[in-house]
Amino acid sequence: MSSLNLDDFTDLIERPDGGVRRDAEAYRERRTVPPGSLGRLDELGEWLAAAQGTVPVRPVERPRVVLFAGDHGIAELGVSARPAGSAALLVREVLEGGRPVSVLARRSGVPVRVVDMALDCDPQELPGDVVRHRVRRGSGRIDIEDALTVEEAEAAFLAGVAVADEEADSGTDLVVLGDVSVGGTTVAGVLVAALCGTDASVVTGRGGLAIDDLVWMRKCAAIRDSLRRARPVLGEQLKLLAAVGGADFAAMTGFLLQCAVRKTPVILDGVVAAACALVGQRVAFRAPDWWLAGHDSGEPGQAKALDRMALEPLLTHGVRVGEGAGALMALPLVRAAAALAAELPERPEHSDEEKSGTPETAETTEMPETAETPETADVAQAADGGTVKDETAG
């Protein structure tokens, strides 16, 4: 029986500071560029200020990409274009700098951390700092068996919490969260369909390495069969992660919730991160206020999950490669929003004379008094309704 009480996160997680956000809005209104003219960057800057609890907002100086890795037994059904159990190969490519996220992170100066939770390989094949949180080798085939035991799900969840604490304690001020998995989008589809109460076909996508129609139908059937096992445990999120999740999913959920506790903003990557965020929302309804949706990957399950959490993607480039690459592409937007919010100069204050439109030094100009002449008298009389004498008449 699990001793972990997820309800504690409801009390621990607060929303980003609303008072600071109002101060950030007022601060923005005093800048030289009119509010609203920077579009969503204004909103991002205010959100980040509220998350940091300070105005003006501080620049994002120590971001990090965190990737949770695992293999999923459901991949044995041929639901992925990659062979089952091959996620370790992707992890090695990430570590060696050959994956898209590695290239983007290198060019952006952002470190990448990979956390092995359930890769199907010998732990000796990977660096010790990658495998030290591993819970098990691979996850169960969720259409016919649990992915994990409840004890393993709790251990994975707590490992995610520990990683979030490690990042916060080391000074990480923003996290780009992604996954490295094979079969992960199928598992994500099950969680999203279960939590949103929808059919398998609505959430079944093509995956990072696109699959053909035949594989798509197998994937849809696998999600449908797994949903039958998910529905009885919908009310207990840890049991749900044990039944149809995986060690990487449980860890990502714990990581997201603890980041909200530690007030660390997170940019979500694809459908796997979105599914874990959806589980996290069920645990603590205020938690999504600490998360941004980095991009729209085109996966229908991701769109469904983000809509449920009212998170709007920053980018819509259809990047499906996973591994945090799409979310990392959104990081420059967040950094730009912070820079603009903090560094735009203040609009100069106008003087009281300029505001009134009447300078104090201006003097009223009076018309000089002139002696009345017969001609002016006659004009005045005519104006009053009298007649003017024609002096030329004989």
Side-chain angles (χ1 to χ4, degrees):
M1 191 70 180
S2 173
S3 61
L4 179 63
N5 185 6
L6 298 186
D7 291 339
D8 291 342
F9 285 96
T10 302
D11 298 326
L12 291 171
I13 294 173
E14 302 173 352
R15 296 188 191 278
D17 196 317
V20 172
R21 182 154 193 163
R22 289 189 291 273
D23 292 342
E25 291 172 359
Y27 183 88
R28 176 68 184 88
E29 289 173 358
R30 298 194 299 269
R31 301 306 98 188
T32 52
V33 179
S37 59
L38 293 173
R40 197 170 175 192
L41 293 180
D42 279 341
E43 177 189 338
L44 281 175
E46 292 159 5
W47 171 82
L48 194 57
Q52 294 176 350
T54 182
V55 175
V57 64
R58 296 189 300 271
V60 178
E61 294 182 332
R62 300 191 66 179
R64 185 189 289 265
V65 177
V66 178
L67 306 176
F68 287 89
D71 279 296
H72 296 274
I74 198 71
E76 297 171 7
L77 296 179
V79 297
S80 172
R82 299 186 185 279
S86 62
L89 297 175
L90 296 174
V91 168
R92 279 194 287 271
E93 290 179 9
V94 169
L95 297 175
E96 292 166 2
R99 297 298 299 172
V101 68
S102 310
V103 175
L104 293 173
R106 187 165 58 245
R107 298 296 295 178
S108 303
V110 180
V112 178
R113 178 179 184 180
V114 181
V115 183
D116 168 19
M117 296 305 305
L119 289 173
D120 189 10
C121 69
D122 189 323
Q124 302 300 320
E125 297 177 18
L126 296 169
D129 61 336
V130 171
V131 301
R132 66 187 176 92
H133 288 292
R134 177 188 282 198
V135 169
R136 57 177 283 168
R137 180 167 178 162
S139 294
R141 215 184 95 179
I142 59 174
D143 62 323
I144 58 173
E145 63 181 344
D146 287 347
L148 313 164
T149 66
V150 173
E151 291 74 21
E152 288 170 338
E154 179 176 337
F157 185 96
L158 292 174
V161 169
V163 172
D165 283 334
E166 290 167 7
E167 292 301 325
D169 292 342
S170 68
T172 298
D173 54 8
L174 185 143
V175 172
V176 175
L177 179 65
D179 72 288
V180 184
S181 63
V182 174
T185 61
T186 303
V187 174
V190 175
L191 289 170
V192 173
L195 293 171
C196 293
T198 192
D199 294 332
S201 60
V202 175
V203 299
T204 305
R206 302 279 175 172
L209 189 59
I211 56 178
D212 60 25
D213 290 345
L214 180 60
V215 177
W216 183 90
M217 287 188 286
R218 285 201 298 266
K219 183 174 182 178
C220 188
I223 292 176
R224 179 200 62 212
D225 294 342
S226 301
L227 269 173
R228 297 192 185 104
R229 304 188 63 259
R231 291 188 178 114
V233 290
L234 271 179
E236 300 179 72
Q237 305 312 309
L238 200 61
K239 288 184 178 180
L240 178 66
L241 290 167
V244 295
D248 49 344
F249 280 72
M252 288 177 75
T253 303
F255 179 86
L256 281 166
L257 289 169
Q258 189 64 9
C259 279
V261 172
R262 298 297 300 269
K263 301 183 178 181
T264 305
V266 178
I267 303 179
L268 305 174
D269 187 42
V271 65
V272 170
C276 295
L278 196 58
V279 178
Q281 183 196 42
R282 281 294 187 99
V283 174
F285 67 95
R286 288 185 287 264
D289 288 354
W290 293 94
W291 310 329
L292 292 174
H295 71 119
D296 177 6
S297 67
E299 280 284 316
Q302 183 202 25
K304 195 77 176 174
L306 295 182
D307 181 67
R308 180 58 61 94
M309 293 183 288
L311 296 177
E312 182 182 355
L314 295 176
L315 301 175
T316 56
H317 296 331
V319 176
R320 297 195 307 269
V321 70
E323 305 156 14
L328 186 53
M329 292 174 65
L331 177 60
L333 285 179
V334 179
R335 281 178 147 171
L340 289 167
E343 298 176 25
L344 280 175
E346 188 171 0
R347 185 173 60 251
E349 291 290 338
H350 296 293
S351 64
D352 293 338
E353 295 85 350
E354 290 174 318
K355 291 178 181 177
S356 66
T358 306
E360 290 181 356
T361 56
E363 297 181 358
T364 303
T365 304
E366 298 181 357
M367 294 296 293
E369 295 183 3
T370 56
E372 188 177 280
T373 63
E375 291 80 0
T376 57
D378 290 339
V379 172
Q381 183 181 0
D384 290 337
T387 57
V388 179
K389 179 181 178 181
D390 185 1
E391 295 183 350
T392 63

